[in-house]
């Protein structure tokens, strides 16, 4: 519990979101909207987690160069404010600004037009609501990986990937803690409609309540031990990949790797 986000920090984070939302509307027009995604949305944030935010300007679609120009303009605005520190990181696949509120120490990564992670967050939010052990186990694994310097999105796997490792394990442990969502039914109609691959595609639309009660009675500490045993002794790292949407193991030979991705 010492690594979980406290209510006081959540209130400060909410205040930052409101403050940034107003600032964005002032500078880019009233149609500008700010959205949150990432671990704060699906309940797996820790005390050292940054907020993940993205904004869009109406229905405007932007290429990477336009996004860089928009963020460069925003960084100039933020630097004129006494209560913000900002560090633009524009020459990367997803340009963003790292922001820190000097008064509250709340930190955020702010991008523009970055919609894919919002679907990812909704999916994990759905799973988090189905069994509280998933969220607690994910927080423990995130904390463990950071204390051992093996959680770095630039060279190693990031926090979201660790959450997927936890999710995959929770689906494979016997009896399973969580289901594969494509194989369960909804309690009420119109709640869940998604098509999802192993890269968590944008067409994932998650909502509603799933008719699922796990028969697994293990505690979080017992599951933690089983998690390490599963990936150390049982998972076939040589031949298979981690999947959260396939009932059967997914072979590396069956995956169409994107250009630039290693196997």
């Amino acid at each position: 519990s010492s690594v979980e986000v406290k209510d006081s920090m959540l209130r400060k984070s909410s205040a930052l979101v409101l403050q940034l939302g107003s600032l964005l509307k002032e500078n880019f027009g009233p149609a500008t909207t700010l959205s949150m995604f990432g671990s704060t949305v699906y309940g797996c944030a820790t005390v050292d987690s940054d907020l993940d935010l993205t904004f869009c300007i109406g229905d405007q679609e932007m290429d990477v160069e336009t996004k860089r120009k928009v963020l460069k303009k925003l960084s100039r605005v933020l630097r004129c404010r006494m209560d913000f520190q900002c560090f633009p990181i524009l020459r990367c696949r997803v340009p963003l600004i790292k922001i820190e509120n000097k008064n509250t120490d709340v930190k955020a990564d702010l991008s523009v037009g970055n919609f894919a992670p919002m679907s990812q967050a909704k999916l994990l939010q759905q799973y988090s609501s189905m069994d509280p052990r998933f969220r607690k186990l994910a927080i423990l694994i995130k904390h463990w990986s950071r204390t051992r310097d093996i959680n770095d999105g630039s060279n190693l796997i990031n926090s979201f990937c660790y959450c997927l490792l936890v999710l995959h394990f929770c689906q494979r442990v016997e009896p399973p803690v969580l289901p594969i969502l494509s194989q369960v039914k909804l309690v009420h109609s119109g709640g869940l409609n998604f098509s999802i691959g192993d890269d968590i595609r944008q067409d994932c639309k998650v909502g509603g309540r799933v008719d699922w009660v796990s028969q697994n009675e293990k505690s979080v500490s017992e599951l933690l031990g089983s998690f390490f045993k599963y990936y150390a002794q049982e998972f076939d790292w040589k031949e298979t990949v981690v999947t959260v949407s396939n009932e059967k193991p997914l072979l590396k030979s069956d995956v169409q790797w994107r250009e630039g991705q290693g196997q």
Side-chain angles (χ1 to χ4, degrees):
S1 60
S2 61
V3 299
E4 293 187 56
V5 178
K6 302 296 188 292
D7 289 342
S8 58
M9 183 56 70
L10 289 176
R11 287 193 293 270
K12 292 177 182 178
S13 298
S14 298
L16 176 62
V17 172
L18 291 173
Q19 187 179 16
L20 285 174
S22 298
L23 190 66
L24 289 168
K25 289 181 183 295
E26 290 174 10
N27 288 274
F28 297 102
T32 305
T33 56
L34 178 65
S35 301
M36 186 186 304
F37 61 94
S39 58
T40 303
V41 171
Y42 49 83
C44 296
T46 56
V47 291
D48 54 355
S49 296
D50 296 344
L51 288 177
D52 294 306
L53 305 171
T54 192
F55 68 96
C56 60
I57 305 172
D59 297 327
Q60 181 180 351
E61 294 188 9
M62 294 178 249
D63 56 25
V64 175
E65 196 55 42
T66 303
K67 291 179 180 180
R68 288 172 179 151
K69 291 178 181 178
V70 169
L71 291 174
K72 189 177 293 185
K73 174 184 175 180
L74 179 59
S75 65
R76 289 195 294 266
V77 173
L78 290 171
R79 282 171 175 160
C80 294
R81 301 281 300 250
M82 296 296 293
D83 49 348
F84 282 116
Q85 278 187 317
C86 71
F87 308 94
I89 303 176
L90 304 180
R91 294 296 168 183
C92 55
R93 186 175 61 85
V94 180
L96 56 85
I97 302 175
K98 286 190 169 293
I99 297 172
E100 180 176 355
N101 186 301
K102 297 178 183 178
N103 299 324
T104 62
D105 295 327
V106 176
K107 299 178 181 179
D109 291 342
L110 178 62
S111 58
V112 57
N114 188 21
F115 302 114
M118 296 173 66
S119 296
Q120 301 168 2
K122 289 178 181 178
L123 176 70
L124 291 185
Q125 184 181 38
Q126 179 76 43
Y127 276 116
S128 294
S129 68
M130 294 167 67
D131 194 301
R133 290 173 295 178
F134 165 68
R135 183 183 68 84
K136 293 178 180 179
L137 187 58
I139 288 174
L140 285 173
I141 294 301
K142 282 178 59 178
H143 179 67
W144 166 81
S145 64
R146 284 176 173 169
T147 57
R148 282 153 181 78
D149 292 325
I150 53 173
N151 185 334
D152 179 2
S154 60
N155 296 305
L156 304 172
I157 60 177
N158 58 21
S159 293
F160 176 69
C161 292
Y162 278 108
C163 287
L164 291 183
L165 287 174
V166 173
L167 174 55
H168 171 85
F169 162 74
C170 287
Q171 293 171 332
R172 295 308 192 276
V173 68
E174 289 294 339
V177 174
L178 292 171
I180 296 172
L181 279 179
S182 58
Q183 299 172 5
V184 297
K185 63 180 181 179
L186 287 176
V187 173
H188 58 81
S189 61
L192 180 64
N193 176 24
F194 72 99
S195 171
I196 184 167
D198 291 285
D199 55 352
I200 315 296
R201 300 188 187 281
Q202 292 188 40
D203 55 357
C204 167
K205 298 178 181 179
V206 180
R209 184 164 57 91
V210 176
D211 186 15
W212 170 261
V213 177
S214 174
Q215 301 303 309
N216 190 310
E217 298 181 352
K218 287 186 176 181
S219 66
V220 174
S221 59
E222 289 173 321
L223 289 172
L224 180 63
S226 298
F227 172 89
F228 287 114
K229 180 181 178 182
Y230 174 76
Y231 284 112
Q233 300 178 10
E234 300 171 19
F235 185 78
D236 186 357
W237 291 100
K238 184 177 180 181
E239 300 294 337
T240 61
V241 297
V242 172
T243 172
V244 298
S245 59
N246 290 42
E247 182 177 10
K248 297 180 180 179
L250 184 62
L251 299 177
K252 288 184 178 181
S253 57
D254 293 335
V255 177
Q256 292 185 344
W257 298 95
R258 297 175 183 173
E259 184 178 353
Q261 281 187 321
Q263 296 187 30

